[in-house]
Amino acid sequence: MELILKYFPHLTSEQIQKFEALEELYKDWNLKINVVSRKDIDELYLRHVLHSLAIAKVITFKPGTKIMDVGTGGGFPGIPLAILFPECSFHLVDSIAKKLKVVNEVVDGLGLENVKTTHTRVEELDDTYDFIVSRAVAAMPTFVRWIKGKVAKKQNNTLKNGILYLKGGDLTEELQDYKTTTIYPISDFYNEPFFDTKKVVHLPIKFKG
């Protein structure tokens, strides 16, 4: 928890309480349904919570912003972002039901009222969102295909509507066809070695009505 406060010192007492509760909730549910590896659960705040919050170093979502987390897995990056931005709405989507069971239990345990979950493939959804976030569930061309038609037209934030992707390694080849991407090295924000090769990728997506 000190790790979170190191980079996000202005949290409210309610936010601190929720972030503190994450570890026990995940450890408890992970014993029943394994969604986070044992090594990762021991470093939950570094590898999952702080990693998810790197998106918040790139953008401060304005109140009312709609965000979808595709392939949320155990609830990352959606749940940490939902705690940080209580006035935004988050839709966490995954095609694996057992993962969403854990997500739902964590959301209920935290009392997060700005999160809904859906067990489906993202292609099946009809709604639109200001931003679509994810932690490297697919190569960018595949991901762009999945979320086609899901980005809202009206711009409300400092960054243009589109994808915010957490990804590691060399992205040159994967992003070669996307000239409008901006890559933010997470090591610019955090000094832990775990983040040395990790990035936040912003890809604006034009609305096609």
Side-chain angles (χ1 to χ4, degrees):
M1 189 57 213
E2 296 81 33
L3 202 53
I4 307 304
L5 288 169
K6 175 181 172 183
Y7 294 108
F8 296 90
H10 304 301
L11 298 176
T12 65
S13 56
E14 189 180 351
Q15 287 171 320
I16 291 169
Q17 193 181 356
K18 284 180 164 60
F19 278 122
E20 283 177 338
L22 277 180
E23 185 169 38
E24 195 174 335
L25 281 165
Y26 273 107
K27 283 191 169 173
D28 184 38
W29 274 99
N30 214 52
L31 291 171
K32 301 168 193 169
I33 302 170
N34 188 253
V35 292
V36 179
S37 74
R38 181 158 292 172
K39 185 178 180 185
D40 280 6
I41 203 85
D42 289 337
E43 294 193 68
L44 184 77
Y45 288 103
L46 174 74
R47 291 169 174 257
H48 292 282
V49 182
L50 196 60
H51 189 203
S52 298
L53 294 176
I55 287 172
K57 292 295 185 184
V58 170
I59 182 172
T60 300
F61 293 122
K62 293 199 172 157
T65 301
K66 283 178 66 182
I67 299 123
M68 176 166 61
D69 177 4
V70 174
T72 189
F76 302 102
I79 287 177
L81 290 171
I83 296 172
L84 197 64
F85 298 106
E87 295 179 337
C88 300
S89 62
F90 289 83
H91 188 182
L92 278 51
V93 179
D94 206 287
S95 59
I96 300 171
K98 73 169 188 175
K99 291 184 176 179
L100 282 182
K101 179 169 175 53
V102 175
V103 171
N104 287 328
E105 294 295 344
V106 172
V107 167
D108 289 347
L110 295 173
L112 287 177
E113 295 179 358
N114 60 333
V115 175
K116 70 172 183 176
T117 65
T118 304
H119 169 226
T120 188
R121 292 166 61 84
V122 65
E123 301 97 314
E124 309 297 322
L125 295 170
D126 289 330
D127 212 349
T128 60
Y129 304 84
D130 301 301
F131 291 96
I132 297 172
V133 300
S134 188
R135 284 213 302 182
V137 291
M140 190 62 91
T142 304
F143 194 76
V144 168
R145 195 169 66 246
W146 286 354
I147 58 100
K148 191 176 178 186
K150 308 282 188 288
V151 176
K153 183 177 186 178
K154 190 179 178 192
Q155 307 280 339
N156 300 306
N157 286 270
T158 50
L159 289 184
K160 287 184 177 173
N161 292 0
I163 295 167
L164 286 163
Y165 215 47
L166 291 164
K167 195 122 197 204
D170 184 354
L171 304 176
T172 314
E173 193 176 332
E174 185 175 329
L175 298 178
Q176 63 186 358
D177 294 334
Y178 303 102
K179 305 304 180 198
T180 56
T181 52
T182 306
I183 298 172
Y184 301 88
I186 297 179
S187 57
D188 287 357
F189 316 125
Y190 305 150
N191 55 26
E192 285 72 20
F194 175 72
F195 298 108
D196 284 354
T197 61
K198 294 183 165 46
K199 297 152 186 105
V200 179
V201 179
H202 173 233
L203 173 58
I205 300 280
K206 283 202 172 104
F207 174 82
K208 292 186 173 65

